[in-house]
Amino acid sequence: MATEVEVEIVKPHTDKREYRRIVLKNSLEVLLISDPDTDKSAASMDVGVGYSSDPVGLEGLAHFLEHMLFYASEKYPMEGSYSEYILENGGQYNAYTSYEHTNYHFEVNSDCFEEALDRFAQFFLGPLLSADATMREIKAVDSENEKNLLSDGWRMPQLQKHLSDEKHPYHKFGTGNWETLEVQPKAKGLDTRHELIKFYEENYSANLMHLVIYAKENLNAIQSIVEDKFQEIRSNNRDYISFPGQPCTSKHLQILVKAVPIEQGHKLRIVWPITPSILHYKEGPCNYLSHLIGHEGEGSLFSILKSLGWATSLYANEDGQNREFSFFKVTIDLTDDGHEHMQDVVALLFKYIHLLQESGVRKWIFDELAGICETNFHYQDKISPIYYAIEIASNMQLYPPKDWLVQSSMPSKFSPSIIQSVMNQLSPTNARIFWVSKEFEGQTDLVEPWYKTAYSVEDITDSMIQEWISSAPNENLHLPAPNMFIPTDLLLKDTGTQEKVKFPVLVRKSSYASLWYKPDTRFSTPKAYVKIDFNCPFAKSSPEAEVLTVIFTQLLEDYLNEYAYHASVAGLYYDIYMAASGFQVILTGYNDKLRTLLENVIGKIAKFYVNPDRFAVIKEKLRKDYENNKFEQPYEQAMYYCYLLLCDQKWPWMEKLEVLPHLEAEDLIKFTPMMLSRAFLECYIAGNIECSEAESIIQYVEDVFFKGPNPICQPLFPSQHLTNRVIKLERGMSYVYPIKGLNPSNENSALVHYIQVHQDEFMLNVKLQLFTLIATQPTFQQLRTVEQLGYITHLTRRNDYGIRGLQFIVQSTVKDPGYIDLRVEAFLRLFENKIYEMTDVEFKSNVKALIDTKLEKHKNLWEESGFYWHEIVVGTLKFDRIECEVAALERLTKQEFVDFFDEYIRIGAPQKRTLSIRVYGSLHSLAYTSDTGEQAELNKVQIEDIYSFRRSQALHSSFKGSFGRTKL
């Protein structure tokens, strides 16, 4: 039996869920969460062992074990049955391995939770860890590592680990590959499977585990289920493995590391070893320091670097969560000019930290930050049960039970001495400077062994640091002003009629704008959502126009940054970005000061000007962004080509990169009035906001742009209301687009095998969704697990402006895309039998699982608003989509579903329309040559030019009809 340990767990004021901490007889500590309103139930098991415990010469063993536990167990020996059960019941699952944790998690439709939990529990009771699966999964781990080799997001953190004490586990390579899990062990006479079982038996002990269960039932019922399924997990009473001592010795400090990245751009990372803030989480030293060093308001370090034209972003945060050691990290994206002034940039950072040290710890700043954190905690949005469970389970080892929900999010004890002591650790003599740029190619003398990153190291002397500081610009760095955006009115609006408003209502329409309004009837939070879509035909009329529109939106954000940063700190956010019809303005967060921020954003658009210096910085950053597209993963490139082939009137980034160098500030000055000269505003306002307020906001925006003696905008002509249209592939035809990967260094190839099915219609939608539900896990099992084609293997639905289809996505170094395409077709032939032989019971079970998934309620205002906005922006306006699709599912017969498969998806189906995008990596260049030289087959077309193909094809009609289609 379990022991219930009485403890009051601090929870948000608005949280109606119930919590209970229990400890099972095997010492497994569990948090039970009862949420009667949930549609999904979830579990997260955190095992207190990670790659820091990998044996020397078996790097990646902990990560490899994480992979292996998914295969099969003594109780459920059928391979892949766990994932099949989860996916076929509307769920998802995953796991990750970190430095000292391995976390396993899933969520599933609530009525299937108990069986799913039983299957999950077998990971820790009786996994098979079979010899056959061992070899296959070593290949999968190797494929995962291959995916990461050309990713700076993996390369640079590993370089930081490499430059540490070799005896400290921080130094290790955590992922593992073929070399560490097969070649090296074999050379030493070790059997990897034997070592795997030994690692599992020694480390997977119940007393090192923490479990979170999130379910619909009451706490007693959940406790009974947990006791039944988890109390037999073995405990060997093993102590937590700790590695006292710092990973960085004196020789790893006060160094400058120059490293060559994969992508364009220059980055600075200044890293200090510090006392882990987890030891002082109530005092929040790193919350305080991150807030000030990462601040972007007037007088901040970033504001000064930006004004000098040296930086485009700056982040400051603690890196790593354990009790033994930690790092404080400042990451700065440099411009080309900033790269030339690296020493000045670092010196200004040191100067700002010195200013903080000399100023002392300010109580008013701590109190302001603590107040914001407290408000955010008590008014936090609900998130998916799976992510909530992961967040708690992964930190249960670090915090006392009463703070399992709060964690370090709510500093409450003002201790200037503790904050000052951590601040004093951020000294120049304690710093590690990582300077990353392609400019260092050919200038380095060392190579990191796992990812082959080229780098060099030099010591920084005290005199060098002093010289940098004395020669740095003498700028007016100062502490931030008090935050005027902190919400003070958190009351919920009472409109009287809100409960009756189920869907968005069109409450206002003119030749200038339309307004859809939806009050908050579910979430009871003092927050609002405002989206304004500026439909400006000139914004997307050519590659040049699109680039200028992007620069326009980024310049606006640049100008607003100092002012609006205070709002973001206080939980009120805005964004301005390029959209399908022009550009969009979005505001989300506490409604209290929202109108103030909105008026400033609208004012900046109305009085737009071009600062040539900032134009040059944005243009440079945009050039690097476009150039870095070629370093995307091959499967991402394949998905981009698919989008480009299917969607009419889309300009490729290659053309945008071509025109960018020729654009100057003067071009934007001329372009902006023309872009804004004709516009229509499509608006959606939702949340804790009254209808009259929503109408007042849009009236204000209309007055700014369309009224007055010299209006900025004129209404659109009926002919100018643009629509997004999608290519209609010919039925019975198969199209292939082969192309070489854009990065010749990347050995991975990729395939997107797309089957276009239909235009949005409830019955066809649910048939397609049902097929995807049934086929997702078998796709993974066959193509990844059995055939080992690649770590990235997915089957997903695709929706382009209401045109629905399926896409198989596979990335591989093992086989070329042409071969993988054949294997996808072979899988579909193999899968026919599963469709034809499905029993009535299986069919009804799958239908029920899909219905349960569809009836899942939106968890927060942003999720709900995203759903309704999609209906508005695509033009489908089917706000009752869920109810209608559930009704369609309830009418659907098994024969109708089989007929759908036969007509649209089966190999040789009469209505089948297929498009295969094949991206060939460097390993498969010969296959590319032979595939592009293939003789044409009947009903198969090889696409040689995207734009000729697009022009030659028919288009689906658009849901977004002419102006005036929607009536008030």
Side-chain angles (χ1 to χ4, degrees):
M1 294 292 292
T3 308
E4 181 186 343
V5 187
E6 283 295 331
V7 60
E8 187 183 345
I9 295 170
V10 179
K11 69 177 191 175
H13 298 328
T14 53
D15 189 352
K16 298 187 175 93
R17 293 168 291 204
E18 291 187 320
Y19 299 85
R20 178 186 292 171
R21 176 199 178 217
I22 61 171
V23 180
L24 301 185
K25 65 179 185 181
N26 57 1
S27 302
L28 173 63
E29 204 168 11
V30 189
L31 178 65
L32 312 176
I33 306 174
S34 170
D35 180 3
D37 292 332
T38 193
D39 305 294
K40 290 274 198 291
S41 293
S44 174
M45 176 73 90
D46 196 83
V47 184
V49 62
Y51 67 78
S52 59
S53 300
D54 285 345
V56 176
L58 270 164
E59 289 82 3
L61 190 66
H63 177 226
F64 175 47
L65 175 58
E66 171 224 301
H67 277 238
M68 285 295 295
L69 293 190
F70 283 89
Y71 266 82
S73 63
E74 290 164 11
K75 185 171 182 180
Y76 299 99
M78 195 173 125
E79 204 172 271
S81 64
Y82 163 78
S83 52
E84 182 174 19
Y85 186 83
I86 299 286
L87 293 173
E88 287 192 351
N89 287 289
Q92 58 174 313
Y93 64 90
N94 214 327
Y96 66 81
T97 305
S98 64
Y99 177 74
E100 57 181 9
H101 295 268
T102 308
N103 190 286
Y104 302 85
H105 41 268
F106 78 91
E107 73 176 7
V108 73
N109 291 338
S110 284
D111 62 347
C112 303
F113 183 56
E114 188 166 354
E115 183 175 336
L117 197 62
D118 193 56
R119 293 169 181 273
F120 180 72
Q122 303 312 309
F123 285 26
F124 315 103
L125 287 163
L128 285 182
L129 305 176
S130 69
D132 176 49
T134 299
M135 186 51 66
R136 278 185 283 138
E137 208 54 32
I138 288 174
K139 290 177 182 174
V141 169
D142 188 62
S143 177
E144 182 178 356
N145 182 62
E146 286 279 344
K147 168 185 74 72
N148 302 336
L149 289 178
L150 295 178
S151 166
D152 289 328
W154 288 90
R155 292 160 64 86
M156 296 308 153
Q158 189 62 44
L159 179 59
Q160 291 177 48
K161 293 175 191 175
H162 180 64
L163 292 169
S164 67
D165 185 353
E166 291 182 23
K167 298 187 188 72
H168 197 284
Y170 175 75
H171 183 83
K172 291 181 178 179
F173 166 56
T175 310
N177 60 18
W178 182 258
E179 184 73 19
T180 67
L181 295 171
E182 172 63 16
V183 177
Q184 287 179 14
K186 198 170 268 184
K188 292 179 182 174
L190 295 175
D191 180 298
T192 302
R193 179 170 175 260
H194 173 75
E195 296 299 319
L196 183 79
I197 293 167
K198 181 177 158 192
F199 187 88
Y200 177 82
E201 289 176 347
E202 286 179 0
N203 294 292
Y204 274 50
S205 174
N207 71 302
L208 299 184
M209 298 179 184
H210 288 87
L211 176 65
V212 173
I213 300 291
Y214 189 115
K216 202 177 185 77
E217 291 75 22
N218 65 49
L219 290 173
N220 289 338
I222 302 171
Q223 179 168 334
S224 175
I225 294 167
V226 169
E227 288 170 349
D228 176 53
K229 301 195 183 308
F230 291 93
Q231 65 185 358
E232 297 307 320
I233 295 175
R234 184 180 43 81
S235 176
N236 56 21
N237 295 314
R238 174 155 194 170
D239 290 333
Y240 275 102
I241 305 152
S242 66
F243 301 95
Q246 291 298 312
C248 295
T249 65
S250 56
K251 75 172 185 178
H252 303 117
L253 302 176
Q254 215 169 324
I255 55 171
L256 172 63
V257 181
K258 296 177 182 175
V260 181
I262 297 296
E263 295 190 352
Q264 295 290 340
H266 322 285
K267 269 189 195 296
L268 264 179
R269 286 187 185 84
I270 302 90
V271 185
W272 292 268
I274 59 163
T275 303
S277 67
I278 190 68
L279 302 176
H280 305 291
Y281 70 96
K282 291 285 189 191
E283 293 81 4
C286 285
N287 296 60
Y288 185 91
L289 291 172
S290 300
H291 172 64
L292 292 177
I293 297 172
H295 209 281
E296 298 182 15
E298 186 192 349
S300 67
L301 173 62
F302 178 68
S303 178
I304 298 299
L305 292 176
K306 202 180 91 165
S307 68
L308 292 165
W310 292 349
T312 56
S313 73
L314 184 151
Y315 303 99
N317 63 299
E318 185 180 17
D319 189 20
Q321 278 248 346
N322 70 71
R323 293 181 169 278
E324 307 295 339
F325 66 89
S326 189
F327 297 97
F328 191 85
K329 181 170 72 175
V330 177
T331 304
I332 306 171
D333 280 310
L334 300 173
T335 62
D336 290 347
D337 201 21
H339 178 68
E340 297 301 318
H341 288 86
M342 181 280 291
Q343 294 173 3
D344 292 325
V345 172
V346 173
L348 283 168
L349 169 61
F350 289 159
K351 276 187 167 186
Y352 189 70
I353 291 169
H354 182 68
L355 167 72
L356 298 181
Q357 291 165 341
E358 291 295 300
S359 303
V361 179
R362 303 290 176 94
K363 187 171 190 304
W364 75 264
I365 294 177
F366 179 87
D367 289 345
E368 184 181 272
L369 185 60
I372 290 168
C373 289
E374 186 176 4
T375 300
N376 289 343
F377 176 74
H378 287 299
Y379 292 99
Q380 62 185 269
D381 298 308
K382 252 189 169 182
I383 58 174
S384 294
I386 187 172
Y387 297 117
Y388 194 57
I390 293 166
E391 186 184 320
I392 299 168
S394 61
N395 286 297
M396 284 166 73
Q397 179 190 327
L398 297 172
Y399 298 93
K402 72 182 176 66
D403 289 328
W404 277 348
L405 309 186
V406 176
Q407 299 172 23
S408 58
S409 68
M410 205 161 57
S412 55
K413 287 184 186 170
F414 180 60
S415 173
S417 60
I418 286 174
I419 296 173
Q420 190 76 42
S421 71
V422 176
M423 194 189 296
N424 290 341
Q425 291 173 4
L426 308 186
S427 70
T429 54
N430 207 26
R432 292 149 53 84
I433 301 172
F434 292 84
W435 187 10
V436 181
S437 173
K438 297 276 260 193
E439 305 255 322
F440 299 137
E441 276 182 331
Q443 301 175 29
T444 59
D445 57 348
L446 298 166
V447 176
E448 188 278 319
W450 300 110
Y451 292 86
K452 310 303 179 196
T453 303
Y455 72 100
S456 63
V457 183
E458 56 191 85
D459 293 326
I460 311 168
T461 63
D462 292 351
S463 60
M464 284 168 67
I465 292 167
Q466 287 312 311
E467 191 180 322
W468 292 2
I469 291 172
S470 61
S471 63
N474 191 18
E475 297 294 331
N476 183 26
L477 291 161
H478 59 80
L479 296 176
N483 192 334
M484 60 173 275
F485 280 103
I486 294 173
T488 51
D489 179 5
L490 296 166
L491 294 175
L492 299 181
K493 311 274 184 184
D494 179 16
T495 63
T497 59
Q498 288 194 357
E499 289 304 319
K500 298 171 190 170
V501 182
K502 190 173 181 184
F503 301 124
V505 178
L506 184 64
V507 295
R508 179 186 175 87
K509 185 155 180 209
S510 67
S511 58
Y512 311 124
S514 64
L515 168 61
W516 295 89
Y517 168 69
K518 168 75 172 64
D520 177 13
T521 57
R522 178 176 294 165
F523 309 111
S524 301
T525 60
K527 298 177 183 180
Y529 178 101
V530 175
K531 186 167 254 189
I532 305 172
D533 184 272
F534 284 75
N535 187 332
C536 301
F538 288 117
K540 308 270 287 197
S541 57
S542 67
E544 289 94 340
E546 189 162 312
V547 172
L548 287 167
T549 305
V550 171
I551 297 175
F552 163 79
T553 61
Q554 294 190 7
L555 270 177
L556 281 168
E557 292 198 325
D558 190 77
Y559 300 154
L560 283 159
N561 193 64
E562 269 191 11
Y563 172 82
Y565 183 77
H566 288 275
S568 68
V569 168
L572 177 59
Y573 309 94
Y574 86 101
D575 206 353
I576 306 171
Y577 50 84
M578 187 88 195
S581 54
F583 68 95
Q584 288 179 357
V585 174
I586 180 170
L587 284 89
T588 57
Y590 296 110
N591 55 274
D592 181 28
K593 310 284 196 313
L594 186 144
R595 179 73 182 251
T596 306
L597 179 60
L598 178 101
E599 289 184 6
N600 272 275
V601 172
I602 294 299
K604 272 283 188 282
I605 297 172
K607 294 185 171 68
F608 183 76
Y609 64 97
V610 181
N611 176 328
D613 289 341
R614 300 311 298 162
F615 177 93
V617 168
I618 300 292
K619 177 180 166 181
E620 178 196 311
K621 182 176 181 296
L622 195 55
R623 172 181 58 79
K624 290 170 186 169
D625 288 345
Y626 287 146
E627 287 174 346
N628 285 334
N629 283 329
K630 64 175 171 281
F631 302 115
E632 285 192 324
Q633 292 283 352
Y635 82 92
E636 293 172 318
Q637 293 177 29
M639 290 175 72
Y640 172 74
Y641 290 127
C642 193
Y643 167 78
L644 212 52
L645 278 155
L646 289 173
C647 298
D648 193 38
Q649 290 298 306
K650 302 297 176 193
W651 313 115
W653 66 260
M654 302 83 158
E655 290 180 4
K656 290 185 269 190
L657 179 59
E658 193 177 320
V659 302
L660 182 60
H662 310 291
L663 297 175
E664 300 300 338
E666 192 60 38
D667 295 304
L668 186 57
I669 292 169
K670 291 175 186 170
F671 171 76
T672 306
M674 188 196 311
M675 177 188 69
L676 291 171
S677 64
R678 294 274 172 190
F680 179 76
L681 313 184
E682 192 142 39
C683 313
Y684 177 75
I685 298 182
N688 189 40
I689 197 159
E690 292 170 357
C691 188
S692 57
E693 288 180 88
E695 291 192 72
S696 166
I697 285 171
I698 300 312
Q699 181 66 62
Y700 169 78
V701 176
E702 278 188 21
D703 289 347
V704 168
F705 289 103
F706 294 97
K707 306 293 171 65
N710 297 300
I712 297 164
C713 305
Q714 296 289 333
L716 293 186
F717 291 113
S719 62
Q720 288 183 293
H721 283 263
L722 300 181
T723 57
N724 291 290
R725 305 203 45 195
V726 177
I727 300 301
K728 190 174 191 175
L729 301 177
E730 288 184 49
R731 65 181 180 183
M733 295 297 292
S734 178
Y735 303 88
V736 177
Y737 181 62
I739 189 166
K740 285 186 176 178
L742 295 169
N743 179 6
S745 302
N746 199 321
E747 296 181 341
N748 287 277
S749 292
L751 169 79
V752 169
H753 180 101
Y754 167 70
I755 303 170
Q756 191 177 76
V757 180
H758 68 284
Q759 189 164 21
D760 187 54
E761 188 272 322
F762 294 138
M763 185 57 86
L764 283 169
N765 291 353
V766 299
K767 290 173 182 175
L768 182 66
Q769 291 159 12
L770 190 59
F771 175 81
T772 313
L773 177 83
I774 296 166
T776 296
Q777 196 278 335
T779 298
F780 184 88
Q781 177 69 17
Q782 182 61 34
L783 300 182
R784 182 190 185 277
T785 307
V786 176
E787 298 189 31
Q788 289 287 302
L789 292 177
Y791 175 75
I792 293 173
T793 302
H794 303 298
L795 169 63
T796 61
R797 296 194 312 274
R798 188 181 176 102
N799 181 1
D800 299 287
Y801 305 109
I803 309 307
R804 309 294 182 111
L806 291 167
Q807 55 186 8
F808 293 84
I809 302 164
V810 182
Q811 180 166 300
S812 179
T813 51
V814 182
K815 297 292 183 182
D816 68 85
Y819 176 87
I820 297 169
D821 215 354
L822 293 173
R823 298 315 303 156
V824 168
E825 295 196 338
F827 165 76
L828 282 172
R829 283 195 185 89
L830 188 70
F831 195 67
E832 285 179 23
N833 290 334
K834 176 150 179 133
I835 298 292
Y836 299 148
E837 293 168 9
M838 195 189 325
T839 65
D840 288 335
V841 171
E842 286 171 331
F843 174 74
K844 285 175 182 170
S845 172
N846 286 318
V847 167
K848 183 185 180 304
L850 184 54
I851 287 174
D852 288 347
T853 299
K854 290 193 147 307
L855 291 175
E856 186 180 347
K857 296 181 284 288
H858 296 124
K859 285 169 286 302
N860 53 57
L861 178 63
W862 327 123
E863 220 176 78
E864 179 189 83
S865 297
F867 175 83
Y868 290 132
W869 175 254
H870 185 263
E871 295 292 334
I872 292 165
V873 82
V874 173
T876 38
L877 302 179
K878 294 171 180 172
F879 300 131
D880 60 348
R881 175 178 299 279
I882 306 258
E883 293 87 339
C884 292
E885 290 189 349
V886 166
L889 273 168
E890 287 170 341
R891 294 194 307 271
L892 180 65
T893 66
K894 189 179 81 171
Q895 190 56 52
E896 287 171 332
F897 176 66
V898 172
D899 292 345
F900 165 80
F901 173 79
D902 280 343
E903 192 174 351
Y904 292 98
I905 297 172
R906 176 180 57 82
I907 300 295
Q911 294 281 357
K912 186 147 188 191
R913 303 168 170 91
T914 305
L915 171 63
S916 292
I917 317 292
R918 302 174 179 176
V919 174
Y920 289 79
S922 57
L923 275 183
H924 303 127
S925 51
L926 287 177
Y928 170 76
T929 306
S930 65
D931 282 5
T932 49
E934 278 182 0
Q935 292 294 311
E937 297 175 33
L938 188 66
N939 298 333
K940 192 167 192 174
V941 174
Q942 184 159 294
I943 300 167
E944 294 179 1
D945 177 73
I946 289 176
Y947 316 106
S948 300
F949 170 75
R950 268 195 340 206
R951 285 189 289 268
S952 70
Q953 298 300 300
L955 296 172
H956 279 281
S957 60
S958 170
F959 285 103
K960 199 107 176 177
S962 61
F963 175 66
R965 173 174 167 259
T966 307
K967 302 295 182 192
L968 270 168

